[in-house]
Amino acid sequence: GDSVTQMEGPVTLSEEAFLTINCTYTATGYPSLFWYVQYPGEGLQLLLKATKADDKGSNKGFEATYRKETTSFHLEKGSVQVSDSAVYFCALESGGYNKLIFGAGTRLAVHP
Amino acid sequence: DSGVTQTPKHLITATGQRVTLRCSPRSGDLSVYWYQQSLDQGLQFLIQYYNGEERAKGNILERFSAQQFPDLHSELNLSSLELGDSALYFCASSVVGGAGAEAFFGQGTRLTVV
């Protein structure tokens, strides 16, 4: 079945460092791909998405490019802030009707 | 605020009991999803309803059931509770149709089974 694999955390960075969180997927066809973020004590929020190959999703300085050749959707940010500390989930849309399959989540901690 | 409301926020109950979690979707969203987030299983899709009908089923135990009512709110019923059912249960809603529709998540109900 469809699945998502993302790098294990926690990822600990200093403020203004470069961030990469790896995400690869296994799916039938070409599903839409998402990054969701979960701040402490809150639900998930959509960070960015891409619906077809070579699309780049971007939001709040974060970017991810849909690479079908490598079945990847890595999340990047050029300069992280303390406020980016959260858990990041990579997800794909599976089986129609917008059902989501999530990766295990990667906790990011950014220190001043 | 995502517009998705879940009640209660916290629930503590004993093993063997039954609980009901409630979700009100965003105004206009016809589709409701339930997810379970636990430390060992991560975020798992349980079930989806669209305009009152079940549309997709994931790793939902037979002890669990859900429904979506005519006013589009949804309830997740968990029965014969076990310690391992302790988790954060999220409801999400979306406008179904077209690839990449955003799912809006509620803040979750934290269930603790003791």
Side-chain angles (χ1 to χ4, degrees):
Chain A
D2 296 351
S3 65
V4 175
T5 303
Q6 59 182 107
M7 62 188 284
E8 288 190 23
V11 174
T12 304
L13 295 173
S14 298
E15 208 164 21
E16 299 183 3
F18 184 84
L19 168 72
T20 300
I21 300 178
N22 290 337
C23 170
T24 57
Y25 67 90
T26 302
T28 305
Y30 303 106
S32 294
L33 301 173
F34 304 82
W35 278 99
Y36 277 82
V37 59
Q38 185 178 28
Y39 297 102
E42 297 186 13
L44 282 76
Q45 302 172 27
L46 179 65
L47 181 59
L48 53 84
K49 68 180 183 184
T51 58
K52 60 184 189 296
D54 301 325
D55 265 4
K56 178 186 279 189
S58 61
N59 186 27
K60 299 180 182 178
F62 290 90
E63 292 182 342
T65 301
Y66 191 138
R67 303 277 188 209
K68 72 174 181 181
E69 322 79 50
T70 54
T71 60
S72 64
F73 193 55
H74 305 321
L75 182 68
E76 296 182 336
K77 186 175 186 183
S79 175
V80 294
Q81 306 300 312
V82 172
S83 58
D84 294 326
S85 298
V87 181
Y88 292 81
F89 291 90
C90 185
L92 65 81
E93 203 167 50
S94 175
Y97 304 116
N98 309 110
K99 179 185 81 178
L100 296 171
I101 304 295
F102 286 92
T106 302
R107 183 175 299 278
L108 170 66
V110 181
H111 299 289
Chain B
D1 182 4
S2 67
V4 178
T5 303
Q6 289 187 248
T7 56
K9 285 190 169 37
H10 302 276
L11 200 47
I12 301 175
T13 190
T15 54
Q17 295 298 304
R18 173 189 168 94
V19 296
T20 298
L21 313 184
R22 183 188 168 98
C23 170
S24 294
R26 281 191 333 150
S27 177
D29 285 354
L30 299 180
S31 195
V32 168
Y33 312 78
W34 287 98
Y35 291 87
Q36 179 194 59
Q37 186 178 35
S38 61
L39 283 176
D40 53 346
Q41 297 287 332
L43 253 174
Q44 299 252 320
F45 168 74
L46 295 179
I47 197 164
Q48 177 197 5
Y49 280 82
Y50 177 75
N51 204 20
E53 294 187 5
E54 182 184 305
R55 273 294 167 88
K57 219 167 187 174
N59 299 325
I60 187 166
L61 299 172
E62 284 192 13
R63 300 183 285 108
F64 296 1
S65 65
Q67 57 185 132
Q68 186 179 28
F69 295 86
D71 66 353
L72 300 178
H73 91 270
S74 177
E75 293 181 355
L76 178 67
N77 300 296
L78 316 176
S79 61
S80 303
L81 284 166
E82 302 175 358
L83 295 178
D85 298 326
S86 296
L88 195 49
Y89 291 84
F90 285 109
C91 170
S93 73
S94 76
V95 176
V96 174
E102 179 177 354
F104 292 84
F105 282 76
Q107 293 201 315
T109 293
R110 183 169 295 282
L111 173 66
T112 303
V113 183
V114 298

